[in-house]
Amino acid sequence: MEKIKLATVWLAGCSGCHMSFLDLEEWLLELAQYVDVVYSPVGSDLKEYPENVDVCLVEGGIANEDNLELINQVRERSKILVSFGDCAVTANVPAMRNMLDGAEPVLKRAYLELGDVTPQLPYEPGIVPELLEQVLPVHQDSSL
C-alpha cells in the first residue's frame, strides 16, 4: 500500500492547531502507518514545499508576502488542501488588523507609536516579510 503524502503548513496564526494535532498522541502512531509527512513546520527543516502532495492541512490566515508565496505553492502542488482551524477558515484573530484599513497603520502603531527605544519601521528585505493590506482566509482569492 502506497502511503498518503501529508503536509502541514502554518501561516499567520498561533500554531494552536498544530499543537492540537500533536495532542492526538498515540493516534499519530496509527496514522503514521498510512501517511508520510513530507513537509511541516513541526520537527522539519525543509525549506521548499514539495511537489505531488496528496493532502495539506493549512493553519493560519494569509497575512504577508511569505504566506502568499507559500499558499500559492500549496495550491499548485497539493491535490487536497484542508483549511485547518479558525484562522485558515475566517482569518480570525490575525484579521483583527483589517479594521485598521491597511498595512501602514498597523506598522506605524506597532513599531513607531509603541516603539520604546529606537522606533523604526521594519523594512529589511529578506528578513521581515512585507504585510499584505488585508489578512485573508485560505479560501479567498489572494490576488486581490
Side-chain angles (χ1 to χ4, degrees):
M1 175 179 78
E2 190 172 333
K3 289 186 173 184
I4 295 168
K5 294 178 188 167
L6 175 69
T8 69
V9 169
W10 172 17
L11 303 176
C14 68
S15 81
C17 294
H18 273 88
M19 296 304 105
S20 292
F21 185 67
L22 292 175
D23 280 344
L24 294 173
E25 298 172 353
E26 292 87 17
W27 188 81
L28 291 175
L29 297 174
E30 187 176 324
L31 180 64
Q33 297 174 48
Y34 304 101
V35 302
D36 280 328
V37 178
V38 295
Y39 185 90
S40 179
V42 180
S44 172
D45 196 28
L46 297 173
K47 303 295 183 213
E48 184 71 24
Y49 190 82
E51 300 280 345
N52 302 315
V53 173
D54 293 313
V55 178
C56 182
L57 304 177
V58 179
E59 171 185 357
I62 305 165
N64 62 43
E65 293 292 333
D66 286 0
N67 296 159
L68 183 58
E69 180 181 339
L70 181 54
I71 196 62
N72 286 334
Q73 289 176 356
V74 169
R75 288 175 176 146
E76 292 170 7
R77 301 175 186 179
S78 303
K79 294 176 188 170
I80 298 172
L81 184 160
V82 178
S83 291
F84 182 44
D86 290 342
C87 293
V89 173
T90 67
N92 207 353
V93 172
M96 290 175 69
R97 76 170 171 90
N98 292 350
M99 294 182 284
L100 295 176
D101 296 322
E104 195 66 28
V106 172
L107 292 170
K108 285 182 178 177
R109 177 74 175 143
Y111 291 98
L112 298 179
E113 295 170 20
L114 299 176
D116 53 357
V117 179
T118 55
Q120 59 184 343
L121 293 175
Y123 292 115
E124 190 61 42
I127 296 176
V128 179
E130 189 171 330
L131 293 180
L132 300 178
E133 288 300 306
Q134 298 282 304
V135 179
L136 305 171
V138 170
H139 69 275
Q140 191 166 336
D141 182 2
S142 52
S143 64
L144 301 174

